Every structure is written in C-alpha cells, then in structure tokens.
C-alpha cells in the first residue's frame, strides 16, 4: 500500500471560530511549529451549552478567541485528549472562567518507567500538573445539550492519549493520534510504538467517517488513510530492521540512512522514533541490545542476515 496522502492544505484562521460540521467549531492556536503544524486545534461541540476539546496552551490571545467563540454559551465540560503543553494547560483558566468540569484519561505518565540514567527528552513538553475532575474510562460516555462524547483510549503518542467519538455523528476527535498533515511522533518513554500500532488497529476496526485531529485539517477518508498510515509505520519498522541486519549498531547510524532526506534539525526526533521501533522489535525478539534499549545502546540482529 502507498504511503499516506498527507494533506498540507489548511487555513488556521487564527482568532476565529471555523464551522467544521454542524455543531462543531474549530479555533486554532497561533503556535505553529515542526510538531504543531499551523497550531493546536481546539474544538467546541454543542449548541446552547457546549463542551470544549483541547483548549490548548496557556495563550492569552487564544483564551480571548475561545471566549469570543463561545459567545456567552455555557461550557459544561472540558475534554483533554492528552497532557502535552500545547493541548491541556489552558483548561485551568477556561475552567476558572466557566465553571466547567475537566475530563481526561488521567494525569500525565510515561508509557514505561525511566531507566537508570535516562532523561525524558519531552519532559518540558508535558503538562504534569493536569489532573482531570473526571477520569474517563474506555467506552464511557459523557453527554451534554445535544451532544455525547465517548472515550476511545488510544495510547501510543502518550500513555494517556484519548480520542473522543461524537455519538450518532460517525465523527472521531482523534487528537494527535492520527492527523492528516503528518505522522504522530512516538517518543519513548512517554510514547510506545507497540501501543501506537495497537491503537491504529483499533481505529481501523471502528470505521469512523471523519476524523478531526489536534493539528491541521480533517481526515476525510479515514479507512484508506489509517491503513496507509499503518503500512507506512510497518515499512519504517522494516527499514530499522534492515539497518541492524546490514550492520548498523547505533541509532545515530540508522537515522543518517533512514532519514537522509529529512531536515537534520529533526534528526533528534527521528532518533526517538527509531528507538520506539527498536523497543518493540527487541520485545518481539527480532533484534537484540547490549542492555535495555536506549539512544546509546548497541544493537545486533537475532536472526541470520
């Protein structure tokens, strides 16, 4: 299967509420970057009283834009897809202004414990202070005025990542798990490739009709896109395995070859993605390490070349 047909066409319309589908509006934060695209999408779901999904970072202009977009409507719930600083911190201020309750899978946590001497490279990107008022479980539904959102746990990008299905609409708010413009970064120890791939399979089985992601525009053909995204990840896995079998022992060596057409400024993130694949391959017995998998470890094949 071909690689995903990524869609880079997107108009952020900073400071404005953009109708996406009936009963759903999008307000995009002006925080563009290599991992955020044009910025973080906040969604407003409902009519006379609403839910806000991913209010975004602590940003004065975005807070004012959200309040203007609400137009005096009551906010009953604030849903958080995951606890990265571009998604959850503004929940505190929005809650103080509206009295809404916060909803999420739980506080931030890594996918696995830190190993001896290991530093979490994304610790500064994590909102460690967010604790939801309602810790929602998989398949649990919270309803409001004309809307109902069901939690679909999708760990991988982070351990507490959650997508939210808009009941009766065939729409899934997919957070950073699936985005039309790019693949999602999966960086240990916060992220887990095994979890991410299992979550992809789960969304493939769901067969939603429209995905509304945390960055960029909608995924309009989810079935095709998700299968291509899975194939892309499996192809990257095979590339990592091939480099180990070719004699590359260090992740830095593998990155130079696998990501030779990628901006070197992104090679640090690429190395973490390779590490995520390696952790999964080591767990499955397909390659071996000279200790726990890490960016500095030495790797070798476990099967004949």
């Amino acid at each position: 299967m071909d690689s995903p047909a990524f869609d880079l066409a997107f108009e952020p319309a900073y400071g404005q509420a953009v109708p996406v589908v009936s009963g759903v509006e999008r307000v995009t934060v002006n925080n563009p970057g290599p991992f955020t695209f044009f910025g973080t999408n906040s969604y407003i779901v409902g009519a006379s009283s609403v839910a806000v999904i991913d209010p975004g970072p602590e940003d004065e202009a975005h807070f004012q834009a959200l309040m203007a977009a609400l137009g005096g409507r009551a906010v009953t719930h604030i849903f958080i897809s995951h606890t990265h600083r571009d998604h959850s911190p503004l929940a505190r201020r929005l809650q103080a202004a509206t009295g809404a309750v916060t909803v999420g899978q739980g506080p931030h946590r890594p996918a696995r414990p830190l190993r001896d001497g290991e530093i979490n490279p994304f610790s500064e990107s994590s909102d460690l202070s967010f604790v939801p008022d309602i810790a929602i479980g998989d398949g649990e539904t919270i309803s409001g005025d004309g809307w109902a959102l069901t939690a679909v746990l999708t760990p991988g990008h982070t351990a507490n990542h959650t997508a939210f299905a808009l009941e009766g609409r065939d729409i899934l708010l997919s957070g950073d798990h699936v985005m039309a413009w790019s693949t999602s970064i999966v960086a240990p120890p916060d992220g887990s490739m095994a979890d991410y791939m299992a979550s992809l399979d789960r969304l493939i089985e769901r067969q939603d009709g429209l995905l509304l992601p945390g960055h960029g525009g909608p995924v309009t053909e989810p079935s095709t896109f998700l299968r291509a995204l899975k194939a892309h990840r499996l192809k990257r896995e095979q590339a990592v395995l091939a480099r180990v079998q070719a004699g590359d022992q260090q992740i830095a060596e593998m990155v130079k070859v696998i990501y030779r057409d990628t901006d070197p400024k992104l090679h640090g993130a690429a190395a973490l993605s390779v590490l995520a694949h390696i952790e999964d391959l080591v767990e499955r017995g397909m390659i071996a390490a000279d200790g726990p998998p890490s960016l500095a470890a030495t790797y070798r094949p476990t099967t004949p070349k």
Side-chain angles (χ1 to χ4, degrees), residues 2 4-5 27 31 35 38-39 78 99 119 168 178 187 199 202 212 214 221 225 228 233 238 278 284 301:
D2 293 335
V27 185
N31 63 332
F35 302 121
F38 282 95
I78 301 168
I119 297 174
V178 177
S199 295
R202 184 172 193 198
L212 301 179
E221 297 183 7
F225 188 83
R233 292 286 188 175
Q238 288 302 309
I278 283 177
R284 290 151 57 193

Side-chain angles (χ1 to χ4, degrees), residues 171-191:
I171 294 171
L172 184 76
L173 293 113
S174 57
D176 282 8
H177 182 61
V178 177
M179 301 175 289
W181 73 283
S182 176
T183 57
S184 176
I185 187 168
V186 180
D190 272 12

Side-chain angles (χ1 to χ4, degrees), residues 14-26:
Y14 298 130
Q16 301 176 40
V18 177
V20 181
V21 294
S22 176
V24 180
E25 301 162 86
R26 180 185 68 226

Side-chain angles (χ1 to χ4, degrees), residues 113-136:
L114 281 171
R115 299 184 176 117
D116 289 343
E118 184 179 23
I119 297 174
N120 185 344
F122 278 85
S123 60
E124 292 186 0
S125 301
S126 304
D127 182 2
L128 302 179
S129 64
F130 177 79
V131 178
D133 297 321
I134 299 175
I136 195 167

Side-chain angles (χ1 to χ4, degrees), residues 140-161:
E140 292 183 354
T141 301
I142 292 178
S143 301
D145 181 21
W147 57 266
L149 290 167
T150 298
V152 181
L153 299 193
T154 47
H157 176 63
T158 61
N160 66 354
H161 194 284

Side-chain angles (χ1 to χ4, degrees), residues 278 282 287-294 297-302:
I278 283 177
V282 168
I287 63 174
D290 62 357
S294 70
T298 299
Y299 301 97
R300 63 185 185 278
T302 56

